[in-house]
Amino acid sequence: MLERIRIILIGTSHPGNIGGVARAMHNMGLADLALVAPRCEVITQDSISRASGADHLLHQANVHATLEDAVADCTLAVGASARSRTLPWPMLSPRELADRLPTECQAADSRVALVFGREDSGLTNAELQRCHAHVHIPTNADFSSLNLAAAVQVLAYECRMAWLNQADSQANAPAPVPSADDALATHAELERYFEHLERTLIGIGFHDPDQPRQLMARLRRLYLRARPERMEMNILRGILSATEKAANTKPPKP
Ligand code: SAH
C-alpha cells in the first residue's frame, strides 16, 4: 500500500523543506516523491542535511513541468490545503483519508497522489480542482498553515497507521482483489475526457469560454465525485463523439 502513495510538491521554494519532506516520507515508509516545477534547486547542502540520511529520495524524485504530468497515472488525487476555497469540494480529515487508503490501493495499477502547495501561496484553485478531494489538517483557525514538511509528516503518519492497521486485519481476513474489469479511470484519462467535454460543450453552444461561470469546475467536481471506471469513461467519450457528429462540430481528422 505505501508504495502506491505518491507525495507531490508543487512550486517548492526552499531546498530545506524538500529535504524535510524526504525525511518525513522515509520515516513513515513512503518513497515516491514527485516535484512539480520546483522554484529552487533540489539537491543542495540544505536539502541533504534536512533529509538526514533520506537523501536517496531526493536523488530518485521525479521532476515534472505540470501537475497533470505528475498525476497522469493516479487513480485518486487529494490536495492538502490549509484554507477553504470559493467552490466547496469534498473535504476529508487526515484520518478519513487514511481510512480510504487500503481500499483505494487494492488494485495493482492504483496510485494515490497527495498534493502539497507552495510555501507562500499554497495550491491554486485550478490545482485544487484537479483533485478528487481536499484534506485539511485541523489546526488553530487563527494560525492554520503548517510548514510544508510538517504537513507531509502528519499525512505520512496517517498513511503508515492505516497500513499498520491493515497489516493487523489482513492477518485475519484477506481483502478481495478487484478485477481488471472495474479499474478506475486514471487522471490522464479523466483529463482527456474533460478536454473532450469542454470542446463538445463549446461546439454545441452550451458553454461560452468567455463567460465560464465555473461550469467546467462544477462538472469536474461532479465527475471526480463519481469516480468513473475506465469502461464508463469510454462510454461517456463515445457519447461526446456521437454528439459532435450529430451536431456536425467534430473537428476534421488531420
Ligand atoms: N501559505 C499557504 C500555505 C503554505 S503551507 C496558504 O495559505 O495556502 C505549504 C503547504 O502545506 C500547503 O499548500 C498545504 O499543501 C500544506 N499545508 C499546510 N498547512 C496545512 C493544513 N493545515 N492542512 C492541510 N495542508 C496543509
Side-chain angles (χ1 to χ4, degrees):
M1 178 184 121
L2 295 179
E3 67 220 26
R4 303 218 172 117
I5 299 172
R6 179 174 304 153
I7 300 293
I8 300 179
L9 309 181
I10 302 189
T12 312
S13 49
H14 297 296
N17 279 336
I18 305 181
V21 166
R23 179 183 188 170
M25 289 176 63
H26 194 40
N27 280 147
M28 296 298 134
L30 301 179
D32 186 353
L33 174 62
L35 306 167
V36 174
R39 290 181 291 164
C40 63
E41 275 188 59
V42 177
I43 312 286
T44 68
Q45 259 189 355
D46 208 16
S47 68
I48 290 176
S49 109
R50 287 276 307 276
S52 309
D55 47 296
H56 57 289
L57 261 66
L58 301 175
H59 290 281
Q60 72 199 31
N62 288 310
V63 179
H64 301 274
T66 63
L67 175 61
E68 284 75 16
D69 289 345
V71 293
D73 58 339
C74 293
T75 39
L76 177 74
V78 180
S81 177
R83 294 180 280 157
S84 65
R85 303 289 164 143
T86 38
L87 186 62
W89 217 255
M91 277 303 296
L92 296 170
S93 71
R95 191 93 10 118
E96 286 165 343
L97 165 66
D99 287 345
R100 283 177 59 166
L101 290 175
T103 314
E104 291 290 344
C105 295
Q106 248 175 49
D109 55 358
S110 58
R111 279 279 170 293
V112 172
L114 304 183
V115 186
F116 296 82
R118 299 154 192 84
E119 293 95 331
D120 47 356
S121 56
L123 294 167
T124 64
N125 284 337
E127 286 159 355
L128 284 164
Q129 286 168 8
R130 274 167 173 67
C131 297
H132 292 89
H134 300 160
V135 57
H136 175 72
I137 301 164
T139 39
N140 177 354
D142 299 330
F143 194 61
S144 63
S145 171
L146 273 81
N147 164 267
L148 175 62
V152 171
Q153 183 74 77
V154 171
L155 295 190
Y157 168 74
E158 290 292 345
C159 295
R160 186 164 189 85
M161 289 308 289
W163 177 70
L164 289 171
N165 290 338
Q166 183 200 27
D168 277 354
S169 55
Q170 262 181 359
N172 302 325
V177 178
S179 74
D181 284 351
D182 44 41
L184 291 175
T186 63
H187 227 275
E189 288 160 347
L190 276 160
E191 282 306 315
R192 274 201 296 280
Y193 176 72
F194 290 135
E195 277 166 29
H196 195 170
L197 179 64
E198 183 162 21
R199 205 169 60 231
T200 309
L201 295 180
I202 294 171
I204 60 173
F206 185 80
H207 174 42
D208 176 1
D210 294 331
Q211 287 202 320
R213 295 211 186 103
Q214 293 202 309
L215 175 71
M216 291 315 296
R218 288 178 195 281
L219 289 173
R220 263 178 189 282
R221 188 173 56 172
L222 164 68
Y223 285 105
L224 288 170
R225 187 169 70 231
R227 313 289 311 280
E229 293 169 6
R230 191 164 287 158
M231 172 60 76
E232 294 165 333
M233 203 86 282
N234 289 342
I235 295 172
L236 289 170
R237 293 213 46 186
I239 294 174
L240 291 182
S241 295
T243 308
E244 285 180 305
K245 199 166 156 216
N248 241 335
T249 60
K250 201 176 174 89
K253 285 223 166 89

